[in-house]
Amino acid sequence: MNILMLSSTFPYPPTRGGTQVRTFNLLKYLSQRHTVTLVTQREGDVTDAEVAGLRDCVDHLAIFERPPDSQTTRILQKIQRFNRFLQQGTPPSVLNRYSVEMQTWVDNWVEAGKCDVITCEHSVNEIYVQPHFRKQLKTIVNVHSSVYATCRNQLTTGISENSFRDKINLPLLRRYEQNYCAKFSAIVATTQEDKIQLQEFNPNSEITVIPNGVDLVSFPNRTIDPGGHRLIFIGAMDNLANIDAVCFFSNEVLPEIQKLYPDTTFDIVGSHPVAEVLALDKKPGINVLGRVPSMAEYLHQATICVVPMRTGFGIKNKTLEAMAAGIPVVASDRGLEGLAVDAASHPLRALRANKSAEYVTAISQLFDRPHLRSELSHNGRQLVETEFTWDIAGKSYEQVCLGKE
């Protein structure tokens, strides 16, 4: 097949995290078997070496600059984008990345008949797919997480950056998600929960669940249990859900654990830590490390990986990566979404906690019981190996592209 993949975020190197990890690994799988053209945008932090690295992964790479958003016009542009959201239904988060040049390129590529399939890697790229494309070729949207469900969850949990704005946005996002999904031949979700949400809006749509995966070479199983009282969180630290998670854990959970285990440390590892996260470094035992060359190396040094997410939908790469590395995981419902870890019918693969006291109990159990750490380490790794590799995800994605399930 000739596959055209759209990704407004630059998916290389895959260590950038977030949506880029999923995009890169699916792209890597498909490019081994099909002709893949990638259209993406380049931001200021993307190096020429990274462009060259990504170019080696695909047959054809088209790169566009992300549209500028200067300080002098920013307020006016925000007002214009919100007005367009009200009138036409496209959210500002989609419009602020929109490139007319990229749209023209995509339109010309499709009109010239150069692709059999077009995939949108994350719903933010749906804007480039014209409704009539569906008559000419297979159109797929890979919904990393439902924007409507995420906004609703942030309002419910009280962690919205701007609750007044999000209350206005919520019904608009519902309309938007319903409308854009209708343009596509097929929809891909990362979890059953997202599929149910999307199916409610589009009962006649073909929706396939394809979970995230892990590169087992980049995240090898650890060889020894370091013991001790060292906690870790991994993830992009300019992401709202991750910021909320580490602030909640640092302020409400960690002090209670340190009363019981005074030498407990908490490493926050991930790129672009914002000021709110950097400020946590001043607290006893907390180390804000930013982007590191090898996430697995830091995971292997930790006693436990915590995933205290209170919002954000979809399977969390951070949870799967910790399990792949053989690190015992304590996580919330959101951090364990899409994973069978503690049902009676499955081996115990992680400990679940949502409230501060539940985290203290679970972490204490693991600090005190090496055999429990060993059990979670073994079972978590086995789960990833059998169900959550990028090879498994890639095969499923290929089937969707071929029109098979």
Side-chain angles (χ1 to χ4, degrees):
M1 289 183 294
N2 292 310
I3 302 172
L4 176 62
M5 300 183 79
L6 308 180
S7 175
S8 58
T9 52
F10 193 85
Y12 191 89
T15 51
R16 283 179 179 269
T19 63
Q20 292 95 318
V21 175
R22 182 172 173 90
T23 299
F24 174 78
N25 283 285
L26 293 178
L27 175 157
K28 181 181 173 184
Y29 183 91
L30 292 176
S31 65
Q32 294 168 1
R33 295 157 179 80
H34 306 280
T35 301
V36 173
T37 298
L38 176 69
V39 186
T40 189
Q41 290 180 338
R42 178 178 184 173
E43 297 188 50
D45 63 343
V46 175
T47 66
D48 290 341
E50 288 170 343
V51 170
L54 182 58
R55 200 179 296 280
D56 287 342
C57 299
V58 292
D59 295 275
H60 186 67
L61 178 64
I63 300 180
F64 296 85
E65 297 296 322
R66 183 172 175 182
D69 195 10
S70 65
Q71 186 69 42
T72 54
T73 59
R74 193 169 293 165
I75 295 173
L76 179 61
Q77 287 175 339
K78 281 187 175 181
I79 294 169
Q80 290 172 338
R81 286 195 289 258
F82 185 70
N83 284 336
R84 190 169 166 187
F85 189 18
L86 288 171
Q87 294 166 15
Q88 300 178 18
T90 306
S93 59
V94 176
L95 294 173
N96 69 12
R97 283 188 168 271
Y98 182 67
S99 162
V100 175
E101 292 79 14
M102 187 165 152
Q103 180 73 70
T104 302
W105 192 99
V106 170
D107 290 348
N108 290 338
W109 193 263
V110 173
E111 292 301 323
K114 293 185 176 180
C115 55
D116 310 304
V117 180
I118 185 167
T119 75
C120 293
E121 302 307 317
H122 197 290
S123 57
V124 74
N125 299 286
E126 64 76 23
I127 193 169
Y128 295 105
V129 173
Q130 311 280 11
H132 69 266
F133 285 2
R134 188 172 174 176
K135 297 175 184 176
Q136 301 169 239
L137 71 166
K138 181 97 175 180
T139 55
I140 300 166
V141 61
N142 186 0
V143 182
H144 291 216
S145 61
S146 163
V147 290
Y148 167 75
T150 299
C151 181
R152 184 182 60 187
N153 180 250
Q154 287 174 353
L155 284 169
T156 303
T157 55
I159 73 148
S160 170
E161 284 183 313
N162 186 330
S163 59
F164 176 74
R165 177 199 63 195
D166 286 347
K167 283 175 184 175
I168 295 171
N169 284 353
L170 191 62
L172 299 174
L173 287 172
R174 181 187 178 99
R175 180 185 68 180
Y176 164 69
E177 200 151 77
Q178 190 166 17
N179 289 343
Y180 88 69
C181 282
K183 293 193 301 183
F184 291 89
S185 315
I187 300 168
V188 171
T190 62
T191 67
Q192 191 65 30
E193 190 171 351
D194 261 355
K195 177 179 178 177
I196 292 167
Q197 177 66 74
L198 295 166
Q199 200 97 59
E200 181 187 326
F201 297 160
N202 301 273
N204 298 319
S205 294
E206 173 196 322
I207 304 178
T208 306
V209 175
I210 301 178
N212 284 343
V214 180
D215 179 350
L216 297 178
V217 175
S218 299
F219 290 89
N221 197 3
R222 72 178 184 187
T223 54
I224 58 165
D225 176 356
H229 304 126
R230 188 167 180 176
L231 306 174
I232 191 171
F233 176 92
I234 61 173
M237 290 321 308
D238 56 354
N239 173 279
L240 177 62
N242 290 344
I243 296 166
D244 173 74
V246 296
C247 289
F248 158 71
F249 190 84
S250 299
N251 294 324
E252 298 186 32
V253 182
L254 185 62
E256 297 304 311
I257 293 169
Q258 288 173 330
K259 289 178 184 176
L260 302 172
Y261 307 90
D263 63 337
T264 300
T265 60
F266 181 38
D267 291 341
I268 299 172
V269 185
S271 58
H272 307 300
V274 298
E276 192 176 357
V277 175
L278 290 171
L280 298 174
D281 196 66
K282 298 184 178 71
K283 291 179 175 287
I286 298 181
N287 306 299
V288 179
L289 299 167
R291 188 175 175 180
V292 296
S294 169
M295 199 73 86
E297 183 181 325
Y298 282 83
L299 283 168
H300 287 163
Q301 295 168 11
T303 320
I304 301 166
C305 180
V306 293
V307 192
M309 313 298 291
R310 299 196 294 181
T311 187
F313 280 70
I315 287 186
K316 305 299 178 291
N317 289 331
K318 57 180 66 64
T319 306
L320 293 176
E321 288 166 355
M323 286 181 168
I327 316 307
V329 170
V330 176
S332 64
D333 292 341
R334 291 265 71 86
L336 295 172
E337 185 184 343
L339 304 176
V341 298
D342 53 0
S345 55
H346 301 289
L348 185 64
R349 293 152 171 165
L351 298 187
R352 189 181 301 268
N354 291 293
K355 298 175 182 177
S356 181
E358 293 170 346
Y359 280 102
V360 173
T361 299
I363 290 167
S364 297
Q365 285 180 328
L366 285 168
F367 277 168
D368 294 341
R369 296 168 61 186
H371 287 296
L372 181 58
R373 294 200 301 272
S374 177
E375 180 184 354
L376 296 191
S377 176
H378 175 268
N379 292 344
R381 172 73 184 191
Q382 191 172 56
L383 173 67
V384 173
E385 286 178 345
T386 54
E387 296 184 33
F388 295 101
T389 68
W390 285 119
D391 194 52
I392 295 169
K395 285 177 184 173
S396 298
Y397 204 40
E398 181 183 40
Q399 294 302 301
V400 174
C401 291
L402 289 165
K404 302 173 183 177
E405 285 194 64

